[in-house]
Amino acid sequence: MLMARESRVSIKTTEEQALMRQAGRLTADVLDMIGPHVQPGITTGELDRICHEYIVGHQNAIPAPLDYKGFPKSICTSINHVVCHGIPGDKRLKAGDIVNVDVTVIKDGFHGDSSRMFLVGKVSVQAERLCRVAFESMWEGIRIVRPGTRLGDIGHAIQRYAEGHGYSIVREFCGHGIGRGFHEDPQVLHYGEPGTGMVLEAGMTFTIEPMVNAGRRHVKVLPDGWTVVTKDHSPSAQWEHTVLVTADGVEVLTLGAADRGDAAAAP
Ligand code: MF3
Ligand code: CO
Ligand code: CO
């Protein structure tokens, strides 16, 4: 029942918000750190190892994906037509690839979750546009987050923007509440109808992480049980931030160093 679901959405206390801010910062630091390593010739397994060592050895934190429901690695790496949950391995990046790196860090019991697209060498104009529109779609959702906004407003804003640019939105995966749990209530769909769904309140923390396909929206899971790909093999792009609903707007907890101090004005 809807009311029961809504009642499970936690409101973070001031102290919990500070811990979410800390986890979000560490998550952004990992992405800032790994960016320069994302180059033609490196394997996704090497990117995983570098992130793992940074999180465990340098941050004294925990990579949440490792052993999460049996996931074997510390980050997700999703190349080209891989939509999400790609497993790092022996595959080498090559010029022209687009790759999503998804990082989730646990520090002092709280999670931060963020992902970015990286362009490997010179990529096609089409691939670059897909990554840009996916980024802008995420921000279309983030920019309207404030008390009183409804989840359907967020989904609609994201869907309208992506579809308005000729792309499709994946339906099978969504954003999520986050805190002591990796995936908490509510589910944050990246499509929907304005004026529907749960009403946001100050102190809620959740992710917004639209997956945008260049072709049709349909996806399938590979036999490894994790890797999600587009059925039509069209390329897919995703960006993710963890956000906090504040008294009068939104605080993005996973901004990278280049964007910090600039949350309200971010694109
Ligand atoms: N980080 C992903 C998310 O944004 C979840 C990855 S689950 C894993 O929700 F097991 F694949 F790591
Ligand atoms: Co997430
Ligand atoms: Co993530």
Side-chain angles (χ1 to χ4, degrees):
M1 199 169 108
L2 194 59
M3 288 307 293
R5 167 166 290 277
E6 292 186 25
S7 68
R8 288 204 298 268
V9 174
S10 65
I11 302 297
K12 272 70 178 179
T13 64
T14 304
E15 292 74 23
E16 291 170 333
Q17 290 174 23
L19 292 169
M20 284 299 293
R21 204 169 280 120
Q22 172 181 256
R25 169 70 72 99
L26 293 176
T27 302
D29 287 348
V30 176
L31 286 164
D32 283 350
M33 179 279 300
I34 202 63
H37 293 278
V38 183
Q39 297 291 342
I42 197 166
T43 69
T44 52
E46 286 164 346
L47 295 176
D48 175 74
R49 183 184 51 77
I50 295 165
C51 288
H52 180 93
E53 284 175 8
Y54 186 80
I55 294 165
V56 172
H58 179 76
Q59 297 185 326
N60 199 17
I62 299 166
L66 188 59
D67 295 330
Y68 176 79
K69 296 183 177 175
F71 191 80
K73 296 290 179 177
S74 296
I75 61 172
C76 298
T77 50
S78 303
I79 305 170
N80 298 337
H81 72 292
V82 179
V83 172
C84 63
H85 302 170
I87 303 173
D90 293 337
K91 193 172 187 68
R92 278 184 203 287
L93 299 180
K94 60 181 190 309
D97 285 343
I98 56 172
V99 58
N100 175 277
V101 176
D102 193 337
V103 172
T104 313
V105 166
I106 310 171
K107 181 71 171 181
D108 295 335
F110 284 81
H111 291 71
D113 190 7
S114 183
S115 79
R116 301 180 194 164
M117 297 303 296
F118 295 94
L119 312 182
V120 182
K122 190 172 162 50
V123 311
S124 70
V125 172
Q126 292 92 324
E128 196 174 334
R129 178 177 183 268
L130 174 67
C131 293
R132 176 173 55 79
V133 171
F135 176 81
E136 290 164 353
S137 299
M138 173 188 68
W139 277 103
E140 285 294 302
I142 293 173
R143 59 192 279 271
I144 61 172
V145 171
R146 66 181 69 89
T149 295
R150 302 181 70 147
L151 286 179
D153 301 333
I154 296 173
H156 178 76
I158 293 167
Q159 179 182 18
R160 196 175 65 135
Y161 192 84
E163 292 182 352
H165 286 77
Y167 298 139
S168 64
I169 291 281
V170 172
R171 306 275 177 107
E172 288 82 355
F173 299 90
C174 57
H176 48 91
I178 184 168
R180 287 193 177 277
F182 191 165
H183 295 109
E184 300 183 349
D185 283 334
Q187 295 198 87
V188 181
L189 303 184
H190 304 115
Y191 61 95
E193 298 302 324
T196 67
M198 193 190 75
V199 179
L200 300 185
E201 296 172 34
M204 290 178 174
T205 50
F206 55 89
T207 72
I208 295 180
E209 49 179 301
M211 285 139 274
V212 178
N213 296 350
R216 289 166 60 79
R217 68 174 180 80
H218 305 92
V219 300
K220 65 179 181 189
V221 183
L222 295 187
D224 64 22
W226 283 106
T227 309
V228 179
V229 300
T230 54
K231 270 191 181 163
D232 64 8
H233 278 225
S234 64
S236 184
Q238 177 181 30
W239 296 78
E240 175 177 28
H241 272 310
T242 298
V243 305
L244 164 70
V245 184
T246 62
D248 58 357
V250 60
E251 181 179 342
V252 181
L253 301 179
T254 45
L255 289 178
D259 293 328
R260 280 198 291 267
D262 201 19

